[in-house]
Amino acid sequence: MDEFTWAGFFEALGVFIEENGTVFRILGVVIGAVILRWILLISIGRVVDRVVSGVKKAQAVEHTVELSASPLHAVRVVQRTRTIGSVLRNVVTWSIVAVTIVLILSELNFSVTALIASAGVLGAALGFGAQSLVKDMLNGLFMVFEDQLGVGDIVDLGEVSGVVEAVGVRVTQVRDVNGTLWFVRNGEILRVGNKSQGWARVIIDLPAPYTSDVEAVEQTMLETAQKMADDPRWRRKVLEKPEIWGIESISAEALVVRLVMKVRGPDQFEVARELRLRLKLALDEVGVALPALNRVVMDGLDQAGKRTEQKPGGRATTATKPLPKQAAAKPDTSKDA
């Protein structure tokens, strides 16, 4: 039995590597690709986190939704950075995978030049049949670079509306209010209604009794909204002082008074719900009862043969009106021919 020596071990290892050089080179390419992808994804993540942290630090907030600067200046920077970071991660992954496959094929003695040329011809042929795929990719890139939507935005894409969870090169993922995750092809997005860009407006149309003191009702509504705007919990979400736009409509039942409040886009619905609750409690304190607006007026005859009549009080009453008697059926006196 030969004695173990390090010189012999390294010599045998060199022979083994030389005999299996192709396998080790392929393994090296795969490991290098994994390491390169890991380094690039870490770099992209750090850049995104640095931009987001810088904006938050400048605004002295902990959460993105609390940013008080102009959304086009602060919030959009954060959302667009996250979206571009997501797209770059996809691009990096697929690019490294493509290069790795080419290098592995070259190690297996495939003609890479001929393969690339054939792929070009095949790509041109598939381009006519895969126009929808190219359309999805181009539309996705334009949506990102034009800042039409971003991760975390509340959007309306036509048949689908909800929060954007991911923006890919081909597909955008949107989760609706029911929790359903929708995968929307970018090429099928014809319009984008972004409710998170810029600002939003909470509009409250509150009906008051026709005989109520309009000025008192308006004053109560405005004071309630202003107290909410001054509340530390809601102060960062309200961009401007609330306003009373006056009487929106007049009917026999009520006067509809409109209150508006300019708020941050993502907080529109939350602010609206809280404001409705506070208005309800405030009007209860001053004794203003909201009128019922569900009156139904029916004209003509119902199935029971009763005619409906409208009285000045606004309630529909019924008056019985007999239906015309049907003619008595005459016996058939005809005889078979």
Side-chain angles (χ1 to χ4, degrees), residues 87 91 136-146 168-169 186:
V87 174
V91 172
D136 294 340
M137 298 178 65
L138 291 178
N139 197 27
L141 292 175
F142 280 117
M143 285 195 306
V144 172
F145 292 129
E146 293 176 359
V169 178
N186 294 332

Side-chain angles (χ1 to χ4, degrees), residues 31-88:
I31 295 175
V34 172
I35 294 175
L36 179 60
R37 178 179 178 273
W38 177 75
I39 293 175
L40 291 177
L41 292 183
I42 291 295
S43 302
I44 294 173
R46 287 186 176 181
V47 172
V48 172
D49 292 340
R50 183 171 298 179
V51 172
V52 174
S53 300
V55 175
K56 292 180 180 179
K57 184 177 180 180
Q59 298 295 320
V61 298
E62 296 182 359
H63 303 285
T64 304
V65 296
E66 296 178 351
L67 294 174
S68 59
S70 171
L72 295 178
H73 183 268
V75 177
R76 295 312 305 169
V77 172
V78 173
Q79 302 291 7
R80 192 174 187 183
T81 301
R82 288 174 174 170
T83 303
I84 294 178
S86 175
V87 174
L88 286 178

Side-chain angles (χ1 to χ4, degrees), residues 71-72 76 146-150 153 194-200 265-266:
L72 295 178
R76 295 312 305 169
E146 293 176 359
D147 197 23
Q148 297 180 16
L149 52 81
D153 285 349
N194 197 320
K195 301 180 181 180
S196 299
Q197 285 191 2
W199 51 270

Side-chain angles (χ1 to χ4, degrees), residues 98-316:
V99 174
T100 302
I101 292 175
V102 172
L103 293 178
I104 291 175
L105 291 177
S106 66
E107 292 295 335
L108 296 175
N109 297 324
F110 282 90
S111 178
V112 178
T113 304
L115 183 64
I116 294 176
S118 301
V121 176
L122 182 62
L126 292 177
F128 294 98
Q131 295 181 9
S132 60
L133 178 62
V134 177
K135 181 181 178 181
D136 294 340
M137 298 178 65
L138 291 178
N139 197 27
L141 292 175
F142 280 117
M143 285 195 306
V144 172
F145 292 129
E146 293 176 359
D147 197 23
Q148 297 180 16
L149 52 81
V151 177
D153 285 349
I154 302 174
V155 297
D156 183 354
L157 304 181
E159 296 183 359
V160 178
S161 61
V163 180
V164 178
E165 290 198 350
V167 179
V169 178
R170 192 182 70 88
V171 174
T172 297
Q173 300 179 25
V174 179
R175 190 175 298 275
D176 64 14
V177 68
N178 296 318
T180 305
L181 183 61
W182 295 89
F183 294 84
V184 185
R185 288 174 45 198
N186 294 332
E188 299 297 325
I189 300 177
L190 302 179
R191 63 179 179 88
V192 178
N194 197 320
K195 301 180 181 180
S196 299
Q197 285 191 2
W199 51 270
R201 180 175 282 136
V202 174
I203 300 177
I204 305 294
D205 288 336
L206 194 145
Y210 189 85
T211 57
S212 62
D213 187 346
V214 178
E215 294 183 357
V217 172
E218 291 181 349
Q219 185 66 24
T220 301
M221 293 174 61
L222 186 60
E223 290 178 355
T224 303
Q226 188 60 51
K227 288 181 180 179
M228 179 178 173
D230 295 335
D231 191 327
R233 178 186 173 188
W234 304 96
R235 187 179 303 162
R236 289 185 177 273
K237 301 178 181 181
V238 179
L239 300 180
E240 293 183 0
K241 294 182 178 181
E243 299 178 355
I244 293 290
W245 281 6
I247 299 177
E248 184 66 19
S249 63
I250 300 177
S251 64
E253 295 86 8
L255 304 172
V256 179
V257 182
R258 172 162 291 187
L259 168 69
V260 298
M261 181 184 291
K262 191 174 182 179
V263 299
R264 302 182 56 79
D267 304 315
Q268 177 185 11
F269 306 106
E270 183 181 5
V271 173
R273 287 190 290 266
E274 179 67 17
L275 183 56
R276 292 190 190 100
L277 175 60
R278 296 193 178 208
L279 288 174
K280 192 269 180 187
L281 297 177
L283 293 176
D284 287 346
E285 291 181 359
V286 297
V288 177
L290 302 184
L293 301 178
N294 56 353
R295 185 185 66 167
V296 178
V297 178
M298 302 177 60
D299 296 325
L301 297 177
D302 58 12
Q303 295 180 354
K306 299 179 180 180
R307 179 177 296 278
T308 59
E309 297 180 356
Q310 182 67 30
K311 290 190 174 182
R315 295 183 178 178

